[in-house]
Amino acid sequence: VAVGREEIGQRSETVRRANLSAIVRELHARGPQTRSALVNRTGLTRSAIRGLIGELAAAGLVSEASPQRLGTPGRPSPLVSLDPDSASVLAIEISVDSLAVAIVGLGGVVIELTRVDRPRGDASVNEVVGVVAKLTRDARSRRRSSRRLIGVGAAIVGVVRRTDGMVSIAPNLGWRNVPLGARLSDALGLSLPVSIANDADLGALAEHRRGAAVGVDDLVFISGEVGVGGGLLVDGKPLDGIAGYAGELGHMSINPNGAECRCGSVGCWETEIGEDVLLRLAGHPDDLGLRGVDEVLRAASENDPVALAAIDHVGHWLGLGIASLINLLNPRLVVLGGRFARLHPYVGPVVEAELDRRALAAPRDLVRVVPSTLGVDAPLLGAAELAFEPLLADPALWLGRRDLMERASA
Ligand SMILES: [Zn+2]
């Protein structure tokens, strides 16, 4: 089959765009690198790298520092860095106990981050969206340099349809069928795309890119406060299901004789391992939040039998659920996020013992259970990554559009 000149042209344009994407992704995920390191990492030729870096530099996305000699033979290679101010995103997190807003620059540099407490319980959508809009205005007025916003990402403790940011249910906020994408767009008044996803899915993304799971492509991330969520990565790709609803680990039906769940079912995983269960079993009001968890951990460190028994209960049920997840998914790593990261030193041995008892030996031998390294900010940082995705996927679309970014966010 003869290939026309035009078709070859289209192909080479596709290749160019894919190569630009490979370079920007490398720099975004791993930080500044020499040109020769980029040659090694991307498999592109030296001259291709030089040309593509030139394009990115002309658009202001990257800069090159003077050549570095790194003890390797040959000519020293210039160090290539992304400019965090060349493109930034607005990241938002709506969780049970707090609201957070961050401005994050290209390369994952946190330029500005504010988190405010909110009272637990049902929340008015108007109020939440209003607080988020105010935090955003404040953050942007403090950071004039972050005018080149290219997108908005939001993490929410709920079940979200990715295509339009429709929150079908957020049981711990009392929300059903809230068109959060549209509401945030209106309130923020920015003519920018708003992407919304489940907080645990975004926690998994952040831990994979910058936290405990860098380089791990098969991952179970379990986030927990009152609600328990999960983010699953299979072969490097998020397991979203057909509409983005997958990974609702907290609502795995696990105890036929269990308690009623906020989702309407009975005996869901979060009714055995949720923060409120821990607090209640330890003899505290179940809405004491993080302070209560601190108190339980302190008591446990002094060998208080009630606190230890409460932690033991959570560890037992945590291990039971994780064993099933290991048998189902054969992951390399299970990352305990949210409150579970703080409980890990105490629940770790119980969880391991349950895995020894219950998981199949072969996948159990291959998996490790570790605490999150990004802590409470994992979902927020994941929301930033979500908002960067269009730029990372096709940087060519953004070249020469500096003016558009600024106008969009003026
Ligand atoms: Zn449930």
Side-chain angles (χ1 to χ4, degrees):
V1 179
V3 177
R5 198 173 275 273
E6 195 177 320
E7 197 177 329
I8 291 173
Q10 279 168 6
R11 267 194 221 160
S12 72
E13 173 60 10
T14 308
V15 169
R16 171 182 157 269
R17 293 169 85 146
N19 291 344
L20 282 168
S21 168
I23 292 171
V24 175
R25 273 191 197 282
E26 269 300 318
L27 294 169
H28 180 71
R30 297 174 199 273
Q33 293 177 51
T34 61
R35 267 199 221 164
S36 21
L38 286 170
V39 168
N40 292 335
R41 287 229 172 254
T42 59
L44 294 168
T45 64
R46 228 158 244 289
S47 66
I49 288 281
R50 192 185 318 117
L52 295 164
I53 297 288
E55 281 191 61
L56 294 168
L61 288 179
V62 308
S63 58
E64 285 192 288
S66 52
Q68 306 275 305
R69 193 176 282 283
L70 299 170
T72 45
R75 266 188 305 160
S77 180
L79 189 69
V80 186
S81 317
L82 291 172
D83 175 0
D85 280 333
S86 66
S88 53
V89 296
L90 181 70
I92 294 166
E93 185 189 348
I94 299 172
S95 81
V96 176
D97 288 325
S98 65
L99 300 173
V101 163
I103 294 171
V104 179
L106 197 53
V109 178
V110 177
I111 296 169
E112 179 79 36
L113 193 163
T114 317
R115 185 178 288 277
V116 296
D117 290 340
R118 62 164 294 270
R120 193 166 282 192
D122 288 4
S124 125
V125 178
N126 278 338
E127 209 175 298
V128 166
V129 166
V131 172
V132 165
K134 181 178 185 314
L135 293 176
T136 300
R137 283 193 300 275
D138 292 351
R140 297 194 68 215
S141 68
R142 281 194 297 273
R143 294 288 175 165
R144 287 271 154 224
S145 64
S146 64
R147 291 183 57 218
R148 289 181 205 109
L149 286 179
I150 60 160
V152 180
I156 180 161
V157 281
V159 178
V160 190
R161 186 166 63 203
R162 289 279 182 103
T163 46
D164 59 355
M166 170 66 80
V167 176
S168 70
I169 181 169
N172 294 302
L173 299 171
W175 291 5
R176 265 177 203 275
N177 300 319
V178 173
L180 185 63
R183 296 295 306 275
L184 276 177
S185 267
D186 289 349
L188 295 171
L190 302 167
S191 49
L192 292 170
V194 177
S195 307
I196 302 180
N198 170 265
D199 61 336
D201 288 345
L202 293 176
L205 174 64
E207 292 288 346
H208 180 241
R209 201 161 277 173
R210 310 194 181 279
V214 169
V216 174
D217 282 345
D218 291 271
L219 164 71
V220 173
F221 174 82
I222 304 169
S223 77
E225 33 183 41
V226 175
V228 172
L232 309 173
L233 214 66
V234 176
D235 200 16
K237 296 191 175 60
L239 189 73
D240 291 333
I242 56 170
Y245 300 155
E248 285 297 325
L249 303 184
H251 302 286
M252 287 195 299
S253 207
I254 205 162
N255 184 355
N257 305 313
E260 269 185 34
C261 180
R262 279 164 293 257
C263 74
S265 182
V266 168
C268 293
W269 203 19
E270 72 176 46
T271 66
E272 299 295 348
I273 64 172
E275 180 191 285
D276 49 344
V277 181
L278 176 77
L279 295 180
R280 198 162 53 238
L281 291 175
H284 297 293
D286 61 9
D287 59 353
L288 206 55
L290 202 49
R291 260 187 317 129
V293 176
D294 286 339
E295 179 53 31
V296 176
L297 289 173
R298 193 197 55 73
S301 73
E302 292 168 1
N303 290 319
D304 175 79
V306 178
L308 288 174
I311 290 175
D312 211 54
H313 174 95
V314 170
H316 160 77
W317 285 98
L318 193 57
L320 202 134
I322 293 174
S324 289
L325 292 168
I326 288 172
N327 289 347
L328 184 68
L329 295 162
N330 183 203
R332 172 86 51 205
L333 205 61
V334 175
V335 177
L336 299 182
R339 309 292 201 256
F340 294 129
R342 310 194 50 221
L343 285 178
H344 181 261
Y346 291 94
V347 296
V350 188
V351 169
E352 299 290 337
E354 290 298 340
L355 298 188
D356 289 341
R357 276 182 67 198
R358 297 171 189 276
L360 293 168
R364 195 267 175 272
D365 287 346
L366 295 170
V367 73
R368 285 188 310 129
V369 180
V370 300
S372 140
T373 56
L374 299 175
V376 291
D377 289 329
L380 183 65
L381 299 176
E385 296 299 330
L386 182 68
F388 272 123
E389 194 49 37
L391 172 68
L392 301 179
D394 194 1
L397 285 178
W398 305 86
L399 299 182
R401 290 190 48 185
R402 239 177 128 123
D403 58 323
L404 278 186
M405 295 182 205
E406 291 191 59
R407 213 180 307 144
S409 58

